[in-house]
Amino acid sequence: MRIKLFLVALAIAAVCNAKDIKTVVLKTQPEMHCVGCEKKIKDNLRFEKGIKSIKTDLKTKTVIIEYDADKTTVEKIKEGFRKINYEATEVRKEKK
């Protein structure tokens, strides 16, 4: 009986602590065209609050960012790009 109560309490705690993780795909201006651009974006944006992962794709010239929507917004992420002299445009937003 104690084990069942413990498991129920654990399940409730997990649901209460669930994070609102979202994904946004961005294009940059100037376009990301080399490994140096990728490095600059990744090295600077990883310190922005709420960002969980940053993936870049040189073929499509996009940046895919997973972020915690409880801690940041797409507008704040775009502001992070402005700090490093890039303008980011949203291509697609998805909820996980």
Side-chain angles (χ1 to χ4, degrees), residues 26 73-82 86 88-90:
L26 302 163
T73 63
V74 174
E75 287 307 313
K76 288 180 184 175
I77 293 170
K78 288 180 181 180
E79 182 58 37
F81 276 92
R82 284 186 210 102
Y86 281 89
T89 307
E90 190 175 329

Side-chain angles (χ1 to χ4, degrees), residues 15-28:
V15 169
C16 291
N17 289 329
K19 295 184 179 188
D20 188 14
I21 304 297
K22 294 184 179 181
T23 303
V24 65
V25 180
L26 302 163
K27 284 205 174 247
T28 62

Side-chain angles (χ1 to χ4, degrees), residues 30-95:
E31 283 189 334
M32 179 180 60
H33 63 278
C34 66
V35 175
C37 297
E38 283 183 307
K39 183 173 174 23
K40 181 179 181 179
I41 289 169
K42 287 180 177 179
D43 286 351
N44 288 284
L45 289 179
R46 68 185 171 138
F47 295 111
E48 293 294 322
K49 185 177 179 179
I51 292 182
K52 299 297 176 191
S53 73
I54 303 167
K55 296 176 187 150
T56 53
D57 186 345
L58 279 176
K59 285 183 182 179
T60 60
K61 299 180 183 340
T62 57
V63 182
I64 301 113
I65 298 178
E66 284 187 352
Y67 65 98
D68 185 344
D70 294 331
K71 294 183 180 180
T72 194
T73 63
V74 174
E75 287 307 313
K76 288 180 184 175
I77 293 170
K78 288 180 181 180
E79 182 58 37
F81 276 92
R82 284 186 210 102
K83 290 177 188 175
I84 57 172
N85 299 317
Y86 281 89
E87 196 62 38
T89 307
E90 190 175 329
V91 177
R92 176 173 83 241
K93 189 183 337 185
E94 304 167 349
K95 185 173 180 176

